[in-house]
Amino acid sequence: MAIRRQVLRDEVEELILQRLLENRWAPGSRLSIDGLARDLEVSPTPVREAMVALERSGLVEYVALRGYVVAPPLDAEHMTELLDARKVVESAALGRAFTQWDALVADLEAAHARHAEVLAQIDAAGAEDYELLNEHFRADWAFHQVFFAHADNRYLRTMVENLGTYSHRMRQTWSGGPETFDGRVAHEEHGIVLEKVRQHHHDGALQALAAHLDGVLARSLSAAED
């Protein structure tokens, strides 16, 4: 029963997350737990648990006397701080992951190939397809998570888990459709990081990662302005 409850909560969280990322509700809109429970045909308990998890991502906020409301999108200052933090933590992980070089290369190649498959599906269906867009975000993030899988440092893994939840808010930037979608560019930048790792070029890989994250920030700021 406990396992099923966890699965239900995860499913409810994903459904609410989908609606948040699709901008179904305007910033500041109240999110009624009872109303969402009726809409999703579940009890209020998994909805309440999902909202607590989503609050950690910054997508929703708890306001006294109102309950949960939709948080505003990240502004330029918060985007800059988030990408700066990612650069510090991910660079530390990637640098340490070179001690497991063979496994690092194999897993980066697999993650990069999976990302290419998703992008091909998006090319065929269009960037308006939320399910595929969500798969893109998962595949993109999976490439970065490889660094932490081979860094052999549990505290770095904890840090990236926290940053990963905040990165959900960056997804809101890409709700503008094909004009703002940067999946192909990000995949190409991942490819440069991968090639430097293949060459066992430690400093080159770190420089390529920093350039990629700088590019993510620049494109996110541009998309937010648009």
Side-chain angles (χ1 to χ4, degrees):
M1 292 298 293
I3 293 175
R4 177 56 195 164
R5 177 177 173 180
Q6 179 64 40
V7 170
L8 179 59
R9 198 220 74 176
D10 291 345
E11 291 174 350
V12 169
E13 181 181 344
E14 181 63 25
L15 288 169
I16 298 173
L17 174 63
Q18 175 179 338
R19 297 181 183 189
L20 287 165
L21 297 178
E22 291 177 338
N23 294 318
R24 297 272 193 95
W25 302 294
S29 299
R30 181 173 178 272
L31 299 173
S32 165
I33 288 177
D34 290 337
L36 285 168
R38 287 192 298 271
D39 186 36
L40 299 174
E41 299 181 345
V42 297
S43 73
T45 299
V47 175
R48 188 175 295 106
E49 293 172 345
M51 296 301 277
V52 171
L54 289 167
E55 185 180 12
R56 289 197 296 269
S57 75
L59 284 167
V60 302
E61 298 174 339
Y62 187 82
V63 178
L65 304 180
R66 290 196 66 202
Y68 288 103
V69 300
V70 179
L74 287 177
D75 59 22
E77 180 180 2
H78 285 90
M79 286 186 189
T80 301
E81 290 181 3
L82 176 57
L83 266 298
D84 184 53
R86 281 188 59 184
K87 189 185 298 185
V88 172
V89 175
E90 292 189 34
S91 295
L94 178 56
R96 286 161 177 74
F98 267 76
T99 60
Q100 301 182 20
W101 182 75
D102 289 333
L104 175 64
V105 172
D107 286 350
L108 285 177
E109 288 177 339
H112 196 56
R114 171 56 187 156
H115 195 183
E117 292 173 359
V118 174
L119 289 170
Q121 293 174 330
I122 290 175
D123 287 343
E128 301 93 340
D129 188 314
Y130 171 81
E131 293 298 332
L132 285 177
L133 195 59
N134 196 34
E135 282 299 311
H136 153 68
F137 287 123
R138 291 179 189 276
D140 184 292
W141 188 239
F143 182 88
H144 292 262
Q145 287 178 307
V146 173
F147 311 153
F148 296 88
H150 296 289
D152 198 23
N153 187 306
R154 71 192 68 186
Y155 297 104
L156 282 174
R157 287 197 297 272
T158 299
M159 290 178 186
V160 79
E161 287 171 3
N162 291 334
L163 288 174
T165 60
Y166 289 117
S167 293
H168 277 313
R169 295 187 70 187
M170 294 287 287
R171 299 185 187 187
Q172 291 176 305
T173 306
W174 306 108
S175 62
E179 295 78 12
T180 62
F181 182 63
D182 77 331
R184 282 291 175 192
V185 177
H187 186 261
E188 290 172 3
E189 292 170 350
H190 287 180
I192 298 172
V193 176
L194 172 57
E195 187 55 35
K196 294 299 182 183
V197 174
R198 283 191 185 119
Q199 297 168 3
H200 219 299
H201 193 331
H202 177 278
D203 291 348
L206 294 181
Q207 290 168 5
L209 174 61
H212 165 54
L213 294 175
D214 285 342
V216 171
L217 175 59
R219 293 189 295 272
S220 298
L221 292 173
S222 177
E225 289 175 0
D226 293 340

